[in-house]
Amino acid sequence: MTAMRPIPRQGLLDIEAYVPGESSAPGVAKVFKLSSNETPLGPSPRALAAYKAAAAHLQDYPDGSATRLREAIGRSFGLDPDRIVCGTGSDDLLHLLAHAYLAEGDEAIHTTHGFLIYPIATLAAGARPVVAPETNYTADVDAILKAVTKKTKVVFLANPNNPTGTVLPFDEVKRLHRGLPGDVMLVLDAAYADYVRRNDYEAGIELVATSDNVVMTRTFSKIHGLASLRLGWMFAPEPIVDVVNRIRGPFNVSGAAIDAGIAAIEDVEHQNRSREHNTRWLEWLTREIGKLGLDVTPSVANFLLIHFPQTKGHTAKEANEFLMARGLILRQTTAYKLPNALRLTVGTEAANRLVVGALKEFLGQQ
Ligand SMILES: *Cc1c(COP(=O)(O)O)cnc(C)c1O
């Protein structure tokens, strides 16, 4: 029998579409969006100026290989621009990698509370997502290695991870890499690398440079404050760069994104300001929320995961409603298998203080 309508490939209807963090609270005039890990400091003023100037050239196709941007990234990290590919956000690159290296019958591993794009990209490529358990909300190298089978083609690891904010030290990432067969690609998603202040951490540059099966992805959406422009990049071995360049959109990065991205990556002072703001308020929020008696998973990123008790009146769901009614929008993490937690993005000083005050009130402590 002929189907009466177009039928998508097997597996696609198993995908739960990604639900972004909420951005409005019904009936509340002033809202603080702390649900999508956006920077409270906004983009570099120089990036903003470059973006506005790009308006003069909207009729022209952008440089399809984003050469000047790749060179600027290369200068800033000491990398060969030929080993960099830019994308429409790093989500774009994660999907391209999945499409290029996964097929029906293959498996891709991610961890229990790993970033939701990984199972989506895996299923979209027709492959099977395999979940490796975490320990203390942190990726567990032994569990990942145990999940590897002959069918494994990709391991996705967000380091630091979203939504937990936890991180694997470089030694552990290296141990993971050593344990993987050479034909398994290790994707190190370093979206939050810019915020990490630990000397046992390495985003992935060294591993990519010294191996044939590691890819590091980065984004302009977080510390650079350009989430709306959709801009990310990856650093990878030459053969992987070659493959992704064959299948990506020929103009996947807009001219405005190229220009703003160059200005952003060159504005080191703005990045430092953002990092310092984050370090200060991440510590403050962790301490103050901890004092309220709530468990906070220690985070190295620009957000933190707050755990709520399951007692009626004090649950994450009720806390979310209470905060929402006050214009404080956090991220519910049920889709991340964390129904008793909320993820809070580090905000402006005013937003941070309001959140702590509101939580205190919610818990009946004032
Ligand atoms: C925010 C985020 C990204 C960035 O996605 P873009 O498409 O570049 O905006 C990538 N990975 C993780 C884990 C993230 O949280």
Side-chain angles (χ1 to χ4, degrees), residues 88-91 115 118 158 162 189 191-192 219 221-222 230-232:
T88 314
S90 45
D91 288 352
F115 190 40
Y118 310 147
N162 169 17
D189 177 348
Y192 300 97
T219 183
S221 301
K222 307 288 156 59
R230 313 304 307 125
L231 182 59

Side-chain angles (χ1 to χ4, degrees), residues 43-64:
S44 153
R46 290 202 243 158
L48 215 54
Y51 176 75
K52 285 180 183 159
H57 311 285
L58 292 187
Q59 71 281 15
D60 299 329
Y61 274 102
D63 166 17

Side-chain angles (χ1 to χ4, degrees), residues 282-332:
L282 180 71
E283 278 171 17
W284 185 85
L285 284 165
T286 306
R287 191 172 62 239
E288 294 300 317
I289 296 171
K291 278 191 212 159
L292 303 177
L294 296 171
D295 279 336
V296 177
T297 301
S299 167
V300 299
N302 69 337
F303 56 86
L304 39 91
L305 190 66
I306 311 168
H307 303 269
F308 290 82
Q310 276 157 275
T311 40
K312 199 166 153 31
H314 287 167
T315 63
K317 190 170 174 289
E318 288 160 299
N320 188 56
E321 284 159 13
F322 188 92
L323 294 166
M324 274 285 224
R326 284 151 186 80
L328 299 165
I329 308 177
L330 277 66
R331 181 72 140 98
Q332 290 186 273

Side-chain angles (χ1 to χ4, degrees), residues 18 35-37 110-118 134 136-138 158-167 189 192 222 282 296-307 331-339 341-345:
Y18 184 85
S35 58
S36 298
N37 300 343
H110 66 280
T111 64
T112 311
H113 309 297
F115 190 40
L116 282 176
I117 296 298
Y118 310 147
E134 299 183 3
N136 291 331
Y137 303 107
T138 309
N159 200 35
N161 184 50
N162 169 17
T164 53
T166 53
V167 70
D189 177 348
Y192 300 97
K222 307 288 156 59
L282 180 71
V296 177
T297 301
S299 167
V300 299
N302 69 337
F303 56 86
L304 39 91
L305 190 66
I306 311 168
H307 303 269
R331 181 72 140 98
Q332 290 186 273
T333 49
T334 304
Y336 285 98
K337 300 181 208 149
L338 295 162
L342 295 176
R343 190 192 67 196
L344 166 67
T345 304

